[in-house]
């Protein structure tokens, strides 16, 4: 593919920036080869010269956790909650890359200094339109909407380091090849930053640890990290040969490096997040009332990241917030997240001082940040509509095949409850696929909530008709294609696993497993840690769980490997490998539904919750 004007500018910029790189290497910092798009400004943002005085306003547009959702997400997964003036809440349809691109382009108008950044998980756990093609369509879309830089997220490692490197640098897939005749995948025009991910042998960052955005004398450094606990939530093969370092230590290290290069204005892109007190995107995160504000891992990170960093763009928890948390010097600093799936974008105003080359932050004022809805009533970006149509044509033979029928929406990702109706369906499907003696002999099934990526929506997404579930829609719900495992666990081990839902690494943000029919227990959220699981309430098919008895338990291979903070599963024995979770799901939908007898949403009453 011939070099685009943007790529030629990037190459030129890289050549002129060699002195800065040499300086970085000279002080012991290893910088990976720079991808196209580093240290550049997109051509539609050159504009006029802006202010001629000492300060200039820089617009930082950001989003996170896009997860390949090129088309508007279905059901409640495709809405955001908006707090109304009278205190009520309204559900607003949002998302879709055609609308995200249009929103960003509209926001940039009148802002000659505008940079667009993301905080990881752009790809991975993607709907079929992107996932079927190893997320090449999403990278193309990010190039077209003008993304300048992103941190890496945990899902960027779903297919391993080699695939992440391919997404950055380009080239056709090593097994599936090129998807379009005469077209070679060009890779990302923007740099993926992996400051805290290093090669175990060399100690060098996997990709570039930081980049510097430059425009008309303005310089802003970006440092990108993912959560240190990535190996706990990604398959072992995905992170093989890599080491994940502390987020705060890494950011502070590279902030010093940037300062030594004369870069004083710094933004950290962190794929780790928090939990605001309200689920409304326009909630005042800095409200001083009892129970207000934000909690979760990002709060401690924000308190300890060096004051040299002027703003934190975060993600991972799929929450919406624009908060202010004091830095170590006590000055207010913005900490933002734009929910997920391209439903929101954040607009942060950074006041850049041309004399000090830093962002102006006083003890009483932080950069202003506001989350905006990616509204579906606005015009679509025509070039992104064309991109979706092109890839949909390639995916259609696979995506459009009907696999089942539903009577109403079955909430999964958007359920906002410990147990979801779709979680019950998936667990039942996994049990049915593995309960036969020659299929593993499972007596119960457990499903991790993070593996449920969407809802099943009743309205048709295409021409299939209302209530029809297509293979593409099923894939969107279960995109990982994990193989099912059936293992031996004692009742004591099973109880320990249930306790690990709400203790250890999962205590602050519980991961409630979805359970198959017949398994019931009480979850008491008024208690703490493992005590939240009421021991004598756990029953299977009406009988109390016997600590000494051995049970055959079905789960996907990710859970069986201890993923999502469940080390108890790694002690299981007598493993049987069954079909993929997606095959189990589609087979269940086909067997248990028809046009005349569609599947109804389950009651989701297997886990009794005390609040």
């Amino acid at each position: 593919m011939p070099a685009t004007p943007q790529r030629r500018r990037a190459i030129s910029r890289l050549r002129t920036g060699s002195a800065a790189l040499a300086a970085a290497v000279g002080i012991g910092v290893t910088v990976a080869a720079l991808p196209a798009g580093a240290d550049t400004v997109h051509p539609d943002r050159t504009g006029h010269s802006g202010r001629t005085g000492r300060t200039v306003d820089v617009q930082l547009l950001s989003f996170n956790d896009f997860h390949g959702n090129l088309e508007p997400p279905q059901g409640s997964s495709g809405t955001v909650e908006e707090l109304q003036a009278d205190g009520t809440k309204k559900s607003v349809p949002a998302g879709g890359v055609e609308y995200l691109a249009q929103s960003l382009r509209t926001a940039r108008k009148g802002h000659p200094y505008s940079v667009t950044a993301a905080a990881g998980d752009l790809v991975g756990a993607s709907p079929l339109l992107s996932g079927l093609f190893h997320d090449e369509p999403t990278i193309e879309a990010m190039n077209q909407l003008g993304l300048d830089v992103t941190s890496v997220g945990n899902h960027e490692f779903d297919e391993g380091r080699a695939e992440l490197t391919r997404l950055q640098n380009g080239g056709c897939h090593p097994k599936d090849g090129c998807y379009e005749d005469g077209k070679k995948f060009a890779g990302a025009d923007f740099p993926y930053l992996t400051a805290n991910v290093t090669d175990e042998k060399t100690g060098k960052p996997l990709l570039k640890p930081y980049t510097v955005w430059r425009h008309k004398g303005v310089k802003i450094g970006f440092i990108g990290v993912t959560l240190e606990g990535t190996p706990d939530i990604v398959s072992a093969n995905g992170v093989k040969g890599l080491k994940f370092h502390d987020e705060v230590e890494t950011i502070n290290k590279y902030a010093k490096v940037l300062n030594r290069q004369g870069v004083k204005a710094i933004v950290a892109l962190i794929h780790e997040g928090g939990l605001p007190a309200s689920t409304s995107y326009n909630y005042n995160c800095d409200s001083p009332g009892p129970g207000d504000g934000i909690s979760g891992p990002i709060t401690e990170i924000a308190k300890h990241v060096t004051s040299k960093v002027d703003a934190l763009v975060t993600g991972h928890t799929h929450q919406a917030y624009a908060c202010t948390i004091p830095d170590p010097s006590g000055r207010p600093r913005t900490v933002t997240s734009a929910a997920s799936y391209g439903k929101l974008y954040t607009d942060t105003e950074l006041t850049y001082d041309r004399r000090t080359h830093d962002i102006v932050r006083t003890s009483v004022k932080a950069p202003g940040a506001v989350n905006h809805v990616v509204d579906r009533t606005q015009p679509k970006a025509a070039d992104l509509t064309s991109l979706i149509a092109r890839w949909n044509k390639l995916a259609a033979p696979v995506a459009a095949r009907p696999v089942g029928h539903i009577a109403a929406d079955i909430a999964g990702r958007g359920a906002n409850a410990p147990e979801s109706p779709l979680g019950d369906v998936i667990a039942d499907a996994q049990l049915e696929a593995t309960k036969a003696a020659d299929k593993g002999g499972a007596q119960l099934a457990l499903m991790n909530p993070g593996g449920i990526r969407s809802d099943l929506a009743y309205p048709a997404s295409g021409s299939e008709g209302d209530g029809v579930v297509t293979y593409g829609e099923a894939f969107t719900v279960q995109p990982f294609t994990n193989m099912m495992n059936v293992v031996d666990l004692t009742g004591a081990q099973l109880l320990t696993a249930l306790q690990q839902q709400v203790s250890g690494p999962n205590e602050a943000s519980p991961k409630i497993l979805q359970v198959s029919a017949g398994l019931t227990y009480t979850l008491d959220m008024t208690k703490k840690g493992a005590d939240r699981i009421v021991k004598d309430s756990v029953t299977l098919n009406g009988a109390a769980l016997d600590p000494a008895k051995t049970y055959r338990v079905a789960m996907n291979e990710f859970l069986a490997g201890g993923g999502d903070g469940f080390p108890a599963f790694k002690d299981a024995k007598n493993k049987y490998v069954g079909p993929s979770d997606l095959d189990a799901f589609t087979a269940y939908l086909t067997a248990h539904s028809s046009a005349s007898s569609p599947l109804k949403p389950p009651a989701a009453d297997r886990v009794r919750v005390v609040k």
Side-chain angles (χ1 to χ4, degrees):
M1 177 178 288
T4 64
Q6 183 179 359
R7 287 181 175 272
R8 287 194 291 270
R9 282 194 298 274
I11 293 168
S12 173
R13 181 81 70 174
L14 295 180
R15 289 170 178 164
T16 58
S18 59
L21 286 176
V25 174
I27 58 174
V29 180
T30 303
V31 181
L34 298 182
D39 295 355
T40 64
V41 61
H42 281 267
D44 64 338
R45 278 172 267 164
T46 52
H48 53 81
S49 60
R51 291 185 181 181
T52 58
R54 176 167 171 172
T55 63
V56 61
D57 290 337
V58 177
Q59 179 190 58
L60 170 62
L61 301 176
S62 58
F63 57 95
N64 51 275
D65 295 276
F66 184 74
H67 289 289
N69 278 262
L70 299 173
E71 296 178 302
Q74 285 206 328
S76 55
S77 295
T79 63
V80 292
E81 187 178 86
E82 185 176 78
L83 187 64
Q84 305 297 294
D86 62 1
T88 60
K89 296 176 181 179
K90 177 183 177 182
S91 182
V92 181
V97 77
E98 299 155 292
Y99 301 109
L100 176 60
Q102 187 65 31
S103 293
L104 295 174
R105 289 167 182 172
T106 300
R108 290 174 190 141
K109 293 178 179 179
H111 294 275
Y113 296 85
S114 183
V115 57
T116 303
D121 277 8
L122 297 179
V123 301
S126 304
L128 185 134
L129 178 59
S130 186
L132 185 64
F133 306 106
H134 298 280
D135 283 310
E136 289 182 19
T138 293
I139 298 299
E140 283 191 7
M142 295 297 110
N143 289 344
Q144 288 185 209
L145 63 74
L147 183 62
D148 289 296
V149 58
T150 185
S151 61
V152 71
N154 55 285
H155 279 284
E156 266 84 11
F157 294 95
D158 284 348
E159 295 189 50
R161 62 188 296 176
E163 178 62 6
L164 172 56
T165 302
R166 185 184 77 88
L167 292 180
Q168 176 70 93
N169 299 327
C172 296
H173 192 270
K175 291 184 179 179
D176 294 342
C178 299
Y179 296 112
E180 297 176 284
D181 291 340
K183 286 189 177 181
K184 181 180 178 182
F185 176 56
D189 288 345
F190 51 90
Y192 261 112
L193 304 182
T194 60
N196 69 328
V197 185
T198 60
D199 185 281
E200 285 184 345
K201 294 181 179 178
T202 67
K204 297 179 180 179
L206 175 61
L207 295 171
K208 198 180 177 191
Y210 63 87
T211 192
V212 180
W213 178 84
R214 309 171 192 265
H215 184 49
K216 296 184 183 295
V218 172
K219 298 185 296 184
I220 298 178
F222 288 88
I223 303 167
V225 299
T226 189
L227 69 156
E228 185 181 8
T230 291
D232 297 328
I233 55 176
V234 174
S235 66
N237 287 334
V239 295
K240 186 177 181 180
L242 298 174
K243 188 173 182 180
F244 292 75
H245 302 267
D246 182 83
E247 303 95 332
V248 172
E249 292 177 3
T250 302
I251 293 168
N252 291 351
K253 168 187 172 182
Y254 285 110
K256 291 179 180 178
V257 171
L258 285 165
N259 273 194
R260 289 170 185 166
Q261 294 180 18
V263 180
K264 306 295 183 180
I266 301 173
V267 175
L269 307 175
I270 309 172
H271 191 70
E272 179 60 288
L275 301 169
S278 170
T279 53
S280 299
Y281 80 89
N282 55 341
Y283 160 68
N284 179 8
C285 196
D286 292 336
S287 175
D292 280 345
I294 185 172
S295 60
I298 199 61
T299 57
E300 287 304 307
I301 291 174
K303 291 175 184 176
H304 294 94
V305 165
T306 176
S307 304
K308 299 178 190 297
V309 173
D310 299 294
L312 310 183
V313 176
T314 74
H316 188 56
T317 57
H318 290 208
Q319 301 297 306
Y321 48 85
C323 303
T324 300
I325 299 177
D327 68 17
S329 72
R331 291 187 300 166
R333 179 169 57 190
T334 55
V335 180
T336 65
S337 173
S340 62
Y341 300 172
K343 294 180 289 187
L344 300 174
Y345 73 91
T346 310
D347 190 335
T348 304
E349 181 182 289
L350 303 172
T351 301
Y352 184 89
D353 190 317
R354 293 180 181 274
R355 187 178 302 173
T356 65
H357 307 295
D358 204 350
I359 301 302
V360 177
R361 285 198 297 132
T362 69
S363 60
V364 294
K365 182 179 181 294
V370 179
N371 276 326
H372 297 278
V373 178
V374 175
D375 188 357
R376 294 186 201 165
T377 63
Q378 66 184 310
K380 298 178 181 180
D383 57 329
L384 274 302
T385 301
S386 296
L387 180 146
I388 288 172
R390 195 178 96 239
W391 287 103
N392 259 331
K393 185 177 180 180
L394 293 174
V398 176
R401 177 169 60 88
V403 295
H405 298 77
I406 56 176
D409 287 357
I410 304 181
R413 190 73 176 185
N416 291 321
E419 178 187 358
S420 71
L422 189 52
D424 287 356
V425 172
I426 291 171
D428 288 350
Q430 294 180 351
L431 176 59
E432 182 161 307
T434 56
K435 68 180 179 181
D438 62 344
K439 301 293 184 182
Q443 296 166 273
L444 68 144
L446 303 171
M447 175 63 193
N448 58 308
I452 304 170
R453 306 306 299 186
S454 183
D455 302 339
L456 281 182
Y458 179 80
S461 59
S463 60
E464 73 276 10
D466 290 347
V468 178
V469 180
T470 65
Y471 182 81
E473 290 167 342
F475 184 99
T476 297
V477 171
Q478 292 246 266
F480 296 108
T481 318
N482 277 310
M483 303 308 292
M484 291 303 304
N485 287 185
V486 184
V487 297
D488 282 350
L489 286 172
T490 66
Q493 289 174 317
L494 184 55
L495 178 61
T496 298
L498 293 178
Q499 292 172 332
Q500 287 171 351
Q501 299 176 109
V502 289
S503 62
N506 292 331
E507 182 166 2
S509 182
K511 291 186 175 68
I512 306 304
L513 298 170
Q514 309 299 286
V515 300
S516 56
L519 181 65
T520 62
Y521 67 93
T522 298
L523 176 65
D524 188 347
M525 295 305 292
T526 67
K527 298 180 180 179
K528 294 183 179 181
D531 289 338
R532 290 169 168 171
I533 304 299
V534 180
K535 292 182 180 180
D536 59 5
S537 71
V538 185
T539 65
L540 180 62
N541 299 324
L545 189 71
D546 184 345
K549 184 178 179 180
T550 296
Y551 297 88
R552 294 290 286 166
V553 184
M555 65 189 77
N556 61 48
E557 59 186 325
F558 170 68
L559 265 185
D564 268 355
F566 291 93
F569 293 139
K570 293 196 288 187
D571 296 327
K573 297 179 180 178
N574 194 21
K575 180 173 72 175
Y576 171 87
V577 179
S580 74
D581 53 6
L582 178 59
D583 285 345
F585 183 44
T586 56
Y588 184 87
L589 291 172
T590 300
H592 291 270
S593 69
S594 65
S596 59
S597 182
L599 183 68
K600 297 178 181 179
D605 56 1
R606 299 167 189 179
V607 180
R608 297 179 294 271
V609 181
V610 178
K611 297 182 180 179

